[in-house]
Each structure stands twice: as structure tokens, then as C-alpha cells.
Amino acid sequence: MSEVLLEARDLTKKFPLSRRRCVHAVGGVTLSVNAGETLAIVGESGCGKSTLGRMLIGALPPTSGEVRFRGHTITGLKEREFSAYRRQLQLIFQDPYASLDPRMKVRDLIAEPLVTHRVCETKDELTQRVLDLMKAVGIPADYLNRYPHQFSGGQRQRIGIARAIALDPALVVCDEPVSALDVSVQNQILNLLRELQEERGLTYVFISHDLSVVRHISDRICVMFLGKVMEIGPTEDVFAEARHPYTQFLLDSVLPPDPHRRGKSVRLLAGEPPSPVDPPSGCCFRTRCPFATELCASKEPTLRRAGSVEVACHHQSQPPSSSD
């Protein structure tokens, strides 16, 4: 059994709009992340996956619930107390250009976390550490004094990755790190992330809406809808036999490679997405689910074990076939 590196217990996040109204961004999420694995969090835009990722590393405080890192509760800690864990929990942003200060040279951008945490004792040691990080992510050493606008999108993301791994973290949240890149560059960045994981023993929480990317890099998949976990389990098991109707619709939305099959097995979700300000009673997916019953409207399903996966569905024991 792998060591449980991080646990989330009943994490909830609400963003107030007024005294009586709020956005229910994340609702009672419980999950664990094992050391050395890549856990992918997938779902459509607005499902709360990025909010959840930020709560996992303490970048955003939860409304309720707790996060435990290596058995220690890190939720609600004061800044001085949390500083001991901050080095171990890092984030790679979706937009590599927006996450980099355009007025700073690449040497200063990569050195910033090292200087903040006083890792190096001399300037020579700091420079050598920056050069080592640049080499690790594939940036030539003679680019040391360039500014972010002088790099391509893929190169800027490599700078962001170098910053994230500078402090030798245990866990990195990758918030859609390749969605803004060309397909060929995406593959390069994904391969780089895999290489760094093997070399440095990193653990990833990989947030994405692209199922082909998720299948390539993840060990387990957590599927979210309207702030709640619908299904979680090993990647290949979820792809081979998705149990939750929403997961099946997500998989069906990916066009098959055979052009002769296009349009034959693709099913589209009916209706409009429910509002996170006024979520449905019971199962949050029921207003779009073709298999919903009165039970789905009156009682919220909880995650239950079904083989190698866990599913939050009252009718998961007889999943409808994706080929219907």
C-alpha cells in the first residue's frame, strides 16, 4: 500500500454573493492522494476542480472541512505555522504568461522561491541552483537573462514548472498546465512532468478537462460535477467501464478516432447546467440525468465502492451501457 500523502475531508467552499445567496463552489469533497501517484481531477468548466486544487495546498481557505498532509492538519494554520508546509505544496498555473512577472528576468523568476525561503547561502550557490533547475526543465543556460515575453508559451510553462519544483516539494497541483498550449507542445510538457515525477518522486494533482491528456498522465481519476465527486478510481478502470452516468457522458463526448463511428455512440447531455447558486436537491446531476428517479431528487447519493472505483449514484449497480 502506498503512503497517503494528503487527505481532504468534507471540504466545502462557498463564495458569498449577498447575505442570503452564495456560490456553492465545492460541496463536501473527501478524497486522498497517495505518495508518488498522479490523481487527475476532471469535469466541465465551473465544476470546482480548480477551487478544490487550491484548497488542497492551502492557497484558498475552505468554508468547512479539513486537509491533512502526512497526518497533520494544515487547515486553519497561521502563516508562521503553515510556512513549514508551504515548501512541500506547490502549484503550476494554467496561463504561464500571466503567472510570471514580465519585469523580471528568468534567473530572478526561478530564484524567487529560493530567496524567499532562504535556501541558498551565497549568490554563486543561488545562480548554480537556478542553472540546475533550468537544465532540469529544458531551458538553455544562455537564456538566463531573458524576460518572459522573449519565450514561447511552452518555454514559459517550463519556467513555471522550474519555479514549482525549486523547493523540492512533495506535492504539486497542476492546474490545467497544458490547456493553453499547442498539441505538440502539450506532449512535450506532459513528458517533462512524467520525467520530473520519476526523478524527484513527485506527487501530482492534475486538473484538466481534456480526457485524452488525463488518460496519458494519471494513475487515478476523480470526476467532479457542480462541486461534488461523482466517481473516483483507477484511470484505466474508469475509461473501460465508467459507472456514473456523468462519467459516461464525458467519455462519449470525446470523438472516437475512427471516422466511421462518429455520431453512432455519442450521447449529449440534455437541458441546461444547474446553477451553483441554487443547486438541485438530492443528486446535483439529476436534472440532466436520463436515469433520474424520485430517490435522486429526495436523497443525495454518497460515494460507494463498486469494484475498483467509488461512485456517487443511487443506481450505479446497473450502469447503462455507453454503446446504447
Side-chain angles (χ1 to χ4, degrees):
M1 293 292 292
S2 300
E3 172 199 1
V4 176
L5 183 67
L6 183 139
E7 295 177 277
R9 298 181 180 178
D10 201 25
L11 272 188
T12 298
K13 184 62 179 180
K14 299 178 182 179
F15 294 100
L17 298 175
S18 64
R19 290 185 178 181
R20 297 183 180 182
R21 290 165 58 84
C22 65
V23 175
H24 299 263
V26 176
V29 169
T30 296
L31 54 78
S32 61
V33 184
N34 298 322
E37 76 166 349
T38 299
L39 172 66
I41 302 178
V42 302
E44 59 195 69
S45 297
C47 72
K49 53 187 185 292
S50 292
T51 301
L52 174 61
R54 282 164 168 74
M55 287 194 292
L56 291 178
I57 61 172
L60 189 66
T63 303
S64 62
E66 69 172 1
V67 176
R68 295 178 63 83
F69 177 72
R70 287 179 171 159
H72 301 280
T73 300
I74 62 174
T75 308
L77 293 179
K78 296 181 180 179
E79 179 62 29
R80 180 176 297 180
E81 297 172 320
F82 185 70
S83 62
Y85 300 98
R86 190 177 299 280
R87 293 179 57 169
Q88 297 295 309
L89 305 168
Q90 295 294 316
L91 175 67
I92 299 173
F93 295 91
Q94 177 179 357
D95 188 341
Y97 190 64
S99 65
L100 302 176
D101 189 332
R103 299 165 298 180
M104 297 176 66
K105 296 179 180 180
V106 64
R107 66 183 304 156
D108 299 319
L109 287 166
I110 297 177
E112 186 176 29
L114 300 171
V115 172
T116 300
H117 291 272
R118 301 177 181 178
V119 173
C120 303
E121 296 182 357
T122 65
K123 288 186 178 180
D124 289 342
E125 183 184 354
L126 178 63
T127 300
Q128 186 58 51
R129 186 74 173 264
V130 170
L131 289 171
D132 290 343
L133 287 166
M134 291 176 65
K135 181 180 179 181
V137 299
I139 300 176
D142 54 357
Y143 290 4
L144 193 65
N145 292 310
R146 291 191 178 187
Y147 291 92
H149 72 273
Q150 296 176 292
F151 292 88
S152 66
Q155 289 174 326
R156 285 194 288 263
Q157 193 58 286
R158 290 174 185 269
I159 297 172
I161 294 172
R163 283 169 55 89
I165 66 172
L167 298 174
D168 295 322
L171 183 141
V172 179
V173 171
C174 308
D175 190 2
E176 303 216 35
V178 298
S179 63
L181 306 176
D182 294 337
V183 174
S184 59
V185 181
Q186 286 184 6
N187 291 331
Q188 296 173 16
I189 297 300
L190 291 175
N191 290 334
L192 172 62
L193 290 173
R194 293 291 293 268
E195 291 170 6
L196 292 173
Q197 185 176 41
E198 294 176 1
E199 294 172 1
R200 296 170 176 262
L202 296 172
T203 301
Y204 292 141
V205 173
F206 192 93
I207 298 169
S208 179
H209 63 274
D210 190 329
L211 292 174
S212 60
V213 168
V214 164
R215 190 170 193 175
H216 176 72
I217 198 170
S218 66
D219 300 299
R220 289 192 299 141
I221 292 180
C222 172
V223 181
M224 291 186 66
F225 181 82
L226 206 66
K228 296 182 180 294
V229 175
M230 301 288 99
E231 185 167 357
I232 185 169
T235 299
E236 288 307 315
D237 293 347
V238 172
F239 270 84
E241 189 178 1
R243 296 267 182 171
H244 198 284
Y246 177 61
T247 309
Q248 294 173 359
F249 278 111
L250 283 181
L251 295 176
D252 281 350
S253 69
V254 181
L255 291 177
D258 183 357
H260 300 291
R261 293 181 56 197
R262 292 186 178 182
K264 294 184 179 180
S265 62
V266 176
R267 298 179 299 164
L268 300 178
L269 281 173
E272 296 295 326
S275 171
V277 178
D278 186 22
S281 62
C283 177
C284 63
F285 184 63
R286 68 173 178 82
T287 57
R288 306 195 76 187
C289 181
F291 314 105
T293 63
E294 292 183 3
L295 175 62
C296 302
S298 60
K299 183 179 180 181
E300 180 180 349
T302 57
L303 284 172
R304 292 185 296 165
R305 175 67 60 177
S308 61
V309 303
E310 293 180 275
V311 189
C313 179
H314 293 304
H315 309 295
Q316 59 81 22
S317 59
Q318 295 181 339
S321 173
S322 60
S323 61
D324 291 346

